[in-house]
């Protein structure tokens, strides 16, 4: 009965069926609490907990007990052979989604810039770089341009892992000889946490897709930034935290550099079934799994206060759309908003998706699990994002991205639902919003948010700091903070081996006595 109730709740989420949602969730969480008290695995998966409103410690506990059930995979093989410190570093990224998927859209540029840095270093024209980078894939081969680009830029692209059992997959992955493996998947669809449990590399880091603690003893660190995980939140992470100086999220739009932002043809709205200007188009292009009653109710408040405005949403696939549309139209009507004010956007190729942001006025973020790659697509397309800074990682990504893009967009990260609603309404159709859009279009592309080169350099510095910390202590014993690179790139000297200089960084608050490494 407990499992059936859990499956029912999970089946309702992608259909926006919120009938008795809170009561059902309370029952499931109570059952899960008792299961974990007995040392058993909870029914809700860690990713499920990101889609509902839960305290951070409760989410961490679900992750820990789910991961604990996989720890026996650590007995499959002896640990990998230790690597002698010699000034070189090999890194492998492990992922299910090296294909035409938002994950590959984000990380494609990492592989390109790792290669470019390595080539510059070998020609004595650049600072120290990674010796080699691998992509360890275990997902489908869709023959997409994204997949082909990653395969071309990686020193090794090992993708037959999908055909191998856990032991053989670990052995094949270890053959690359990585000192650090970066698990891009975490507790998401397609995960093979079993491989990390069996130790592919001496150091294993969680990064990018799963916005929270893995709760897994096999993941030594998690790559984050100070906005998505403030220092005081370290207590709800089982990993050591590796802090980047800007946003944690890598972004890459080099293949879409020719896509124009902000300028829209006069008939662009009509082509999408949207009302003409001056009527306001709010939008949210998240998958509907991220929609929740509180977010939708807040958006309906905005629509009621902005006459003639509409909400533009991403159309779900297949027959799911009929259920979602019926449920959300009923929810809108119950909140005093005519169902015709919900407009649906078809799924289109990436370049077309970026261009159509010019037809909207403002992206309204969700409250529990906010926009991540969806948000950077909007900002790249010249569309401002309005978000509420919540308490936990999935709720704070929007604020991190706005801080990185600059151009006054950080003003759109607010701290309360009332501020969100009032600001959305006060901006609707105004010169102030048009000015924000124009400045985003003028300055956004050159911002830190879209500087894949600088991001990759910061990440490589983080990898070196992590490995050197591990070499000193035999484990990743401290949090790592990568400081701003204050030297312009041309001033950096080629580095030909030996340890990277580091120092003890005294940090405020929660970390003042931890001796965390700064680089």
């Amino acid at each position: 009965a407990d499992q059936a109730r859990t499956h029912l709740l999970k089946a309702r989420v992608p259909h926006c069926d919120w009938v008795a949602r809170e009561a059902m969730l309370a029952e499931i969480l109570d059952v899960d609490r008792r299961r974990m008290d007995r040392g058993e695995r909870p029914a809700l998966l860690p990713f499920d907990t990101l889609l509902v409103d839960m305290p951070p410690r409760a989410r961490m506990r679900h992750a820990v007990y789910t991961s604990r059930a996989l720890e026996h995979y650590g007995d499959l093989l002896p640990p990998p052979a230790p690597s002698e410190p010699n000034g070189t570093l090999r890194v492998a990224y492990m992922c299910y989604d090296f294909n035409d998927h938002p994950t590959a859209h984000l990380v494609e540029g990492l592989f390109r810039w790792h290669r470019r840095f390595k080539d510059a270093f070998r020609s004595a024209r650049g600072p120290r770089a990674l010796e080699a980078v691998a992509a360890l894939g275990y997902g489908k081969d869709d023959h997409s341009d994204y997949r082909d680009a990653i395969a071309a830029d990686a020193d090794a692209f090992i993708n037959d892992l999908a055909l191998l059992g856990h032991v053989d997959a670990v052995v094949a992955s270890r053959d690359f000889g990585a000192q650090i493996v970066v698990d891009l998947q975490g507790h998401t669809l397609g995960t093979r946490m079993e491989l990390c449990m069996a130790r592919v590399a001496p150091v294993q880091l969680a990064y990018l897709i799963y916005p929270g603690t893995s709760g897994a003893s096999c993941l030594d660190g998690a790559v984050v930034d100070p906005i998505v995980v403030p220092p005081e939140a370290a207590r709800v992470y089982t990993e050591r935290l590796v802090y980047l100086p800007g946003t944690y999220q890598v972004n890459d739009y080099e293949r879409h550099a020719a896509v124009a932002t902000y300028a829209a043809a006069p008939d662009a709205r009509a082509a999408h079934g949207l009302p003409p200007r001056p009527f306001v188009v709010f939008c949210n292009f998240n998958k509907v799994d991220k929609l929740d009653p509180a977010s939708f109710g807040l958006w309906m408040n905005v629509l009621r206060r902005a006459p003639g405005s509409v909400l533009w949403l991403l159309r779900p696939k297949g027959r799911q759309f009929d259920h979602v549309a019926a449920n959300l139209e009923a929810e809108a009507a119950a909140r005093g908003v005519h169902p015709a004010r919900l407009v649906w956007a078809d799924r289109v190729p990436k370049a077309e998706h970026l261009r159509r942001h010019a037809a909207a006025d403002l992206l309204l973020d969700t409250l529990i699990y906010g926009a991540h790659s969806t948000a950077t697509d909007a900002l790249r397309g010249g569309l401002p994002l309005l978000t509420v800074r919540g308490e936990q990682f999935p709720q704070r990504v929007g604020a991190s991205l706005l801080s990185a893009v600059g151009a006054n967009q950080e003003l759109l990260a607010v701290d309360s639902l009332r501020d969100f609603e009032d600001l959305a309404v006060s901006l609707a159709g105004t010169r102030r919003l048009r000015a924000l859009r124009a400045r985003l279009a003028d300055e956004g592309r050159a911002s830190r948010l879209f500087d894949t080169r600088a991001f990759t350099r910061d990440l490589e510095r983080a990898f070196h700091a992590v490995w050197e910390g591990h070499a000193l202590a035999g484990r990743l014993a401290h949090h790592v903070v990568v400081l701003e690179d204050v030297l312009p790139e041309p001033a950096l000297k080629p580095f030909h081996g030996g340890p990277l200089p580091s120092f003890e960084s005294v940090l405020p608050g929660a970390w003042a006595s931890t001796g965390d490494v700064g680089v």
Side-chain angles (χ1 to χ4, degrees), residues 73-82 170 174 196-202 204:
Y73 287 99
D75 301 326
L76 290 177
L77 291 167
V170 172
R174 285 183 181 180
C196 289
M197 287 293 183
R199 277 279 165 193
V200 174
Q204 299 182 149

Side-chain angles (χ1 to χ4, degrees), residues 171-512:
V171 171
S173 299
R174 285 183 181 180
D175 283 346
F176 175 71
Q179 290 110 318
I180 296 176
V181 157
V182 182
D183 177 29
L184 295 175
Q185 216 66 39
H187 293 291
T188 63
L189 179 66
T191 182
R192 285 187 74 175
M193 188 71 74
E194 298 89 348
L195 306 187
C196 289
M197 287 293 183
R199 277 279 165 193
V200 174
V203 175
Q204 299 182 149
L205 303 177
Y207 175 53
L208 192 60
I209 300 305
Y210 183 77
T213 183
S214 67
S217 60
C218 63
L219 290 173
D220 308 292
V223 180
V224 298
D225 71 53
I227 295 179
V228 293
V229 186
E232 60 271 19
R235 66 186 184 277
V236 291
Y237 280 76
T238 58
E239 304 89 351
R240 292 296 183 179
L241 300 178
V242 180
Y243 276 88
L244 299 182
T247 183
Y248 83 103
Q249 183 177 296
V250 63
N251 300 284
D252 181 61
Y253 290 87
E254 186 168 308
R255 71 167 59 247
H256 300 296
V259 175
T261 61
Y262 192 51
D267 60 347
R269 284 193 163 188
H272 297 294
L274 299 169
R277 300 189 189 279
F279 294 107
V280 176
V281 174
F282 299 106
C283 77
N284 183 288
F285 292 143
N286 280 334
K287 291 174 59 179
V288 294
D289 306 52
K290 291 187 178 183
L291 273 58
D292 63 90
S295 298
F296 193 77
L298 185 61
W299 299 345
M300 294 303 101
N301 291 349
V302 172
L303 260 62
R304 281 201 312 273
R305 294 177 59 189
S309 62
V310 299
L311 178 63
W312 197 15
L313 300 169
L314 184 63
R315 183 187 182 103
K317 296 178 180 178
R319 296 182 61 185
Q320 179 189 3
F321 171 69
D322 296 333
H323 300 285
V324 170
N327 288 331
L328 290 186
E329 287 172 2
E331 292 285 346
R335 290 168 169 81
V337 175
H338 196 285
R341 294 174 70 183
L342 303 184
V343 183
W344 297 95
D346 292 332
R347 292 172 179 269
V348 296
K350 181 87 167 186
E352 185 178 345
H353 176 61
L354 292 174
R355 279 192 293 268
R356 70 180 172 187
H357 285 92
D361 293 297
L362 185 64
L363 191 153
L364 303 180
D365 205 1
T366 38
L367 298 174
I368 297 176
Y369 193 142
H372 296 184
S373 61
T374 305
T376 47
D377 282 348
L379 294 170
R380 180 67 176 191
L383 180 65
L385 161 72
L386 178 60
T387 189
V388 177
R389 270 184 296 259
E391 180 184 6
Q392 301 182 58
F393 191 154
Q395 304 167 308
R396 299 178 66 85
V397 173
S400 173
L401 301 177
L402 290 174
S403 176
V405 81
N408 264 9
Q409 303 302 306
E410 58 270 26
L411 299 176
L412 298 180
V414 299
D415 295 310
S416 73
L417 304 189
R418 171 54 65 184
D419 288 344
F420 181 100
E421 181 181 329
D422 289 346
L423 187 54
V425 174
S426 67
L427 286 174
T430 64
R431 183 179 301 172
R432 183 183 174 198
L433 180 57
R434 291 192 293 273
L436 280 169
R437 290 199 59 156
R439 187 165 177 186
L440 177 61
D442 289 342
E443 302 175 22
R445 284 193 172 199
S447 71
R448 181 178 198 143
L449 181 62
F450 300 116
D451 190 345
T452 316
R453 173 183 175 276
F455 180 94
T456 307
R457 175 60 71 206
D458 288 339
L459 189 61
E460 289 195 1
R461 292 195 297 132
F463 289 154
H464 283 293
V466 165
W467 179 243
E468 285 151 12
H470 176 272
L472 287 171
R475 62 189 179 90
L476 186 56
H478 302 290
H479 302 296
V480 173
V481 180
V482 179
L483 304 179
E484 292 279 1
D485 192 352
V486 296
L487 293 178
E489 191 72 16
L492 294 175
K493 302 295 185 182
F495 189 92
H496 297 291
L500 181 71
S502 61
F503 57 86
E504 297 296 312
S505 175
V506 179
L507 300 172
W511 296 350

Side-chain angles (χ1 to χ4, degrees), residues 27-111:
E27 289 182 28
I28 292 169
L29 293 179
D30 183 60
V31 169
D32 271 357
R33 179 184 55 77
R34 287 185 272 117
R35 288 171 65 96
M36 290 184 286
D37 287 345
R38 298 192 298 267
E40 300 173 6
R41 184 173 181 167
L44 278 181
L45 297 175
F47 187 79
D48 299 329
T49 69
L50 302 181
L51 299 172
V52 295
D53 193 13
M54 287 180 64
R57 285 201 173 274
R59 279 183 176 162
M60 181 179 72
R61 196 175 188 220
H62 272 75
V64 167
Y65 275 86
T66 300
S67 297
R68 191 174 292 176
L70 302 173
E71 285 191 347
H72 63 280
Y73 287 99
D75 301 326
L76 290 177
L77 291 167
S83 176
E84 294 297 326
N86 61 2
T88 65
L89 187 59
R90 298 169 73 88
V91 173
Y93 294 89
M94 181 182 296
C95 188
Y96 176 70
D97 295 315
F98 288 137
N99 43 53
D100 188 1
H101 182 276
T103 302
H105 300 176
L106 294 175
V107 304
E108 177 188 6
L110 271 181
F111 290 91

